[in-house]
Amino acid sequence: MMMNPHINNNNKGGFKNTRQRAARLLGGLTVTAALMTLSGLFSCSPSTKSISLPAAMSSSALSYKVSQNPDKDNEVYLESTTIGAIPFWDFGSGTSTNQYDTIIFPFSGDYTIHYSVSSAGGFVPGDSTVIHVSNTDLSYLTDPSWSYIAGETGKTWVLDMSKPIGWYGADYPKHNGSADDWSWHPDYAGNEWVMTNRDYGSMHFDLDNGKNYSVTSIAETGTTTTKTGAFDINTSTGMIKLIGAELLYGGDYHSQVSNWQNICILDMSETSITLGVWRDQSSEGTCWIGFTYKLQQ
């Protein structure tokens, strides 16, 4: 039997799209098996082939354990005992797909740990466990960035108007020597165009029974606005996450950045920090805009 060449030509695009959708749907099948099945769909053979996906796992089949170190309940142990599935733990400050994992909660309080799995039949949401941490133990925060930004009793930062702003390539935080590993952070003297020399406000970080953050912004009109929230540092990536409030900044740059809460650590010491936001809304292209801060006197 010969196929109508006009029908065959008109369905080239449709066949390709259908093949792509089916390949995603069939997941566990090999590419060869998927193509053989699709060939049957578009051939003149009257035979029909059906493929059955695995049944979804019941949430009642999920099994896991959450326990704490009896001597230091800041240390929480996760164990997935569900057979034939990949665990997905969500503990608020992060996630894990490990069968066994140890999570540290430095601060006292109640925390909710959500457990779900990915199985052959799809994603299965599971149950949650609430744990209680009795005492705050800052000895778990061993990376120096915690001390640099918050110290033992908290730190308040203001823009350093001697060099308030600079621009950095995408690879500057990696210092890998690529073409995007560049920076231009001029002195304010001679570059007053970058922003007006005035008081833009302050931001405060502390670890007083939590990762606390607040920012007080002063508008050009003198209006003061204060917002409070929290922060977290991913020490492996050098990123700071602000929650509930944005980064303190100066100048007319807010419209050039879509996210003022995902912050890159560009440079940091006990008395000076440079924090970057990703410029992604400017016709001049993408890069980090870095603001330099000093301790408030």
Side-chain angles (χ1 to χ4, degrees), residues 47-127:
S47 63
T48 302
K49 296 181 180 179
S50 61
I51 298 174
S52 299
L53 294 175
M57 179 179 290
S58 171
S59 58
S60 62
L62 273 56
S63 175
Y64 70 98
K65 296 178 183 178
V66 174
S67 59
Q68 293 172 264
N69 185 330
D71 298 320
K72 280 195 172 185
D73 60 9
N74 309 77
E75 300 176 7
V76 180
Y77 308 128
L78 310 179
E79 179 183 357
S80 174
T81 54
T82 304
I83 299 174
I86 300 173
F88 181 82
W89 306 92
D90 185 342
F91 40 90
S93 59
T95 61
S96 171
T97 57
N98 295 329
Q99 182 179 0
Y100 301 95
D101 213 339
T102 300
I103 308 301
I104 304 298
F105 293 94
F107 303 98
S108 63
D110 295 326
Y111 299 91
T112 302
I113 299 173
H114 301 277
Y115 175 77
S116 304
V117 302
S118 293
S119 67
F123 186 79
V124 185
D127 205 351

Side-chain angles (χ1 to χ4, degrees), residues 146-290:
W146 295 101
S147 175
Y148 288 159
I149 199 166
E152 293 184 3
T153 58
K155 288 184 177 182
T156 301
W157 300 92
V158 297
L159 279 168
D160 183 351
M161 290 308 299
S162 69
K163 48 179 180 179
I165 189 172
W167 290 262
Y168 298 77
D171 288 340
Y172 178 85
K174 304 174 185 177
H175 296 300
N176 58 12
S178 74
D180 266 338
D181 181 8
W182 58 268
S183 67
W184 184 64
H185 200 122
D187 291 335
Y188 186 74
N191 295 283
E192 292 85 356
W193 58 268
V194 297
M195 67 179 69
T196 303
N197 189 353
R198 66 175 183 84
D199 183 3
Y200 289 92
S202 63
M203 59 183 182
H204 180 81
F205 297 85
D206 70 61
L207 299 171
D208 184 11
N209 205 34
K211 304 167 188 175
N212 308 303
Y213 173 71
S214 64
V215 58
T216 298
S217 303
I218 302 177
E220 193 170 3
T221 59
T223 303
T224 299
T225 303
T226 299
K227 293 185 178 181
T228 60
F231 79 102
D232 203 357
I233 303 177
N234 187 326
T235 56
S236 62
T237 63
M239 296 294 292
I240 298 174
K241 175 67 175 178
L242 301 180
I243 304 165
E246 294 184 343
L247 182 71
L248 176 71
Y249 72 96
D252 188 21
Y253 299 98
H254 196 272
S255 64
Q256 297 183 14
V257 175
S258 63
N259 192 325
W260 286 84
Q261 293 180 296
N262 285 338
I263 312 301
C264 179
I265 300 173
L266 298 173
D267 288 298
M268 183 174 279
S269 70
E270 288 286 358
T271 58
S272 177
I273 56 175
T274 300
L275 304 179
V277 288
W278 184 245
R279 186 181 73 181
D280 58 356
Q281 302 294 313
S282 171
S283 59
E284 297 181 1
T286 57
C287 69
W288 296 106
I289 303 179

Side-chain angles (χ1 to χ4, degrees), residues 1-80:
M1 175 179 178
M2 295 183 62
M3 296 187 66
N4 188 322
H6 298 291
I7 296 177
N8 184 51
N9 290 336
N10 291 337
N11 279 282
K12 284 185 177 179
F15 176 80
K16 181 179 179 181
N17 293 334
T18 303
R19 183 176 60 187
Q20 292 173 342
R21 290 195 297 270
R24 290 193 295 268
L25 175 65
L26 298 178
L29 296 177
T30 64
V31 175
T32 301
L35 291 176
M36 288 175 62
T37 302
L38 291 168
S39 297
L41 292 176
F42 286 89
S43 69
C44 293
S45 172
S47 63
T48 302
K49 296 181 180 179
S50 61
I51 298 174
S52 299
L53 294 175
M57 179 179 290
S58 171
S59 58
S60 62
L62 273 56
S63 175
Y64 70 98
K65 296 178 183 178
V66 174
S67 59
Q68 293 172 264
N69 185 330
D71 298 320
K72 280 195 172 185
D73 60 9
N74 309 77
E75 300 176 7
V76 180
Y77 308 128
L78 310 179
E79 179 183 357
S80 174

